[in-house]
Amino acid sequence: MIRDLVLKNRSYRRFCQEVSIDIVTLKELVDLARLSASGGNRQPLKYILSCDPQKNALIFEHLAWASYLKEWPGPSEGERPSAYIIVLGDTEIRRSIVCDQGIAAQSILLGATEKGLGGCIIGSIRKDRLRKALAISPRYEILLVLALGKPKEKVVIESVGTGGNIRYWRDSEGVHHVPKRHLDDIIIG
Ligand SMILES: Cc1cc2nc3c(=O)[nH]c(=O)nc-3n(C[C@H](O)[C@H](O)[C@H](O)COP(=O)(O)O)c2cc1C
């Protein structure tokens, strides 16, 4: 079961934008993050939720998509995420957060996958501009943005070839291919 869920939980970047996600669903997903591991159990993460088209548009402006797909500027109108969860670090609880945000992101995305949704972790964020657009207090460090929606693209996993190229790519049918290293190549002892 967990293997199936992990396999299904790919990074999706094109969505059925007309399928909305409600605030209750976003709260359920953040609750999975709340129940996840946190270094020293300090729980410094805070969240901003968005499922409103206008707020979504403000957030979208400041994200960078799929850097290996040089010709693709990101999802076009109609294929954009229906919702976002912005993951913040509360500097009054902890100054430097190394790992919590990744665990939270994975919990949220696995939960989204179970609900038939999908998403993408976005680390390439124009943080100063996003902070300004949403009037985010300097108290909160912007760590990640999770884009969410009903996936509209097919993503397949393949093996990294002998050349060692790990770059994802899109074929002429629009299928997104993600090379993963072999198990034998990552277990070194
Ligand atoms: C910390 C982190 C930051 C990421 N930032 C971005 C990003 O800014 N833009 C993007 O399109 N994808 C981003 N991704 C998604 C990765 O490109 C994706 O996980 C990778 O290509 C493997 O695909 P998979 O998630 O389907 O296994 C990020 C993933 C992680 C874990």
Side-chain angles (χ1 to χ4, degrees):
M1 286 286 276
I2 185 67
R3 186 178 171 84
D4 291 342
L5 200 58
V6 169
L7 277 171
K8 223 171 147 192
N9 176 32
R10 304 274 49 90
S11 291
Y12 294 101
R13 300 180 178 86
R14 287 176 291 174
F15 304 93
C16 304
Q17 194 174 335
E18 71 283 2
V19 178
S20 58
I21 298 177
D22 60 25
I23 197 77
V24 175
T25 301
L26 294 181
K27 286 184 179 176
E28 283 171 5
L29 294 176
V30 171
D31 205 35
L32 297 176
R34 181 181 73 83
L35 296 168
S36 300
S38 170
N41 203 26
R42 299 278 292 280
Q43 304 168 69
L45 301 181
K46 302 284 169 75
Y47 302 87
I48 292 174
L49 311 182
S50 175
C51 53
D52 161 73
Q54 276 178 344
K55 195 170 173 186
N56 285 351
L58 275 181
I59 297 168
F60 177 82
E61 282 251 323
H62 307 298
L63 308 178
W65 297 84
S67 60
Y68 293 150
L69 305 181
K70 294 286 175 220
E71 310 295 307
W72 188 62
S76 48
E77 187 60 45
E79 297 188 331
R80 292 182 180 164
S82 309
Y84 295 93
I85 295 175
I86 303 177
V87 185
L88 305 168
D90 187 337
T91 60
E92 291 188 7
I93 298 178
R94 189 157 215 170
R95 284 250 145 243
S96 169
I97 307 167
V98 180
C99 199
D100 287 30
Q101 63 271 40
I103 294 169
Q106 184 74 347
S107 292
I108 288 169
L109 288 170
L110 288 174
T113 302
E114 193 188 53
K115 288 175 185 292
L117 301 170
C120 189
I121 299 173
I122 306 281
S124 299
I125 308 159
R126 286 181 279 274
K127 292 184 180 175
D128 290 345
R129 294 188 200 179
L130 181 62
R131 183 181 295 286
K132 212 169 164 194
L134 297 185
I136 300 172
S137 156
R139 170 177 170 176
Y140 303 106
E141 186 188 352
I142 299 172
L143 298 171
L144 293 171
V145 174
L146 308 179
L148 295 163
K150 178 97 186 151
K152 198 186 175 181
E153 66 181 346
K154 187 172 172 194
V155 179
V156 293
I157 286 179
E158 59 190 30
S159 291
V160 168
T162 45
N165 189 358
I166 47 67
R167 287 172 173 249
Y168 49 77
W169 57 285
R170 198 177 282 171
D171 67 23
S172 55
E173 312 278 289
V175 176
H176 184 86
H177 296 252
V178 183
K180 295 288 185 190
R181 298 188 200 280
H182 288 273
L183 191 58
D184 290 345
D185 293 337
I186 62 170
I187 299 176
I188 59 156

